[in-house]
Amino acid sequence: MEDGATVTEIFMALREVSVPVVLVDRDIAPGINARRAAFDHAAGMRAATAHLVELGHRRFALITGGPERPARERRRAVEETLAAVVDGAAC
């Protein structure tokens, strides 16, 4: 596959392969026969956010990008951690 292939092109190619496939830190699209190794982004972001709150920080900005699943998990973890802080920490 050429560099710069789109995600759609990659998934289309994966549907055609007859060897085992493991996706690293990606969602598995419908029709793809693959396994997945995923990082626990939520746990890491909860720990980092809690640490910053413990240091006294109360206003946060989160800039995410890249693959959907990691960005979604990171954002949710930060928002949930800050929601549990009683004294008004916000993102």
Side-chain angles (χ1 to χ4, degrees):
M1 180 149 310
E2 293 181 28
D3 288 346
T6 67
V7 172
T8 302
E9 291 170 331
I10 293 168
F11 283 147
M12 288 173 55
L14 287 174
R15 286 187 181 102
E16 304 298 321
V17 299
S18 59
V19 297
V21 174
V22 176
L23 299 177
V24 177
D25 214 30
R26 299 291 183 266
D27 291 324
I28 299 175
I32 304 286
N33 183 18
R35 301 279 185 190
R36 178 173 81 166
F39 301 105
D40 190 347
H41 295 280
M45 290 305 287
R46 275 197 237 29
T49 304
H51 178 69
L52 291 171
V53 168
E54 289 170 8
L55 292 174
H57 299 280
R58 293 298 178 264
R59 294 180 52 103
F60 293 79
L62 176 65
I63 300 170
T64 61
E68 284 184 36
R69 189 190 62 76
R72 182 179 62 238
E73 289 182 3
R74 290 175 184 145
R75 181 182 177 116
R76 186 176 335 135
V78 169
E79 289 173 344
E80 289 172 356
T81 303
L82 292 178
V85 174
V86 178
D87 61 356
C91 183

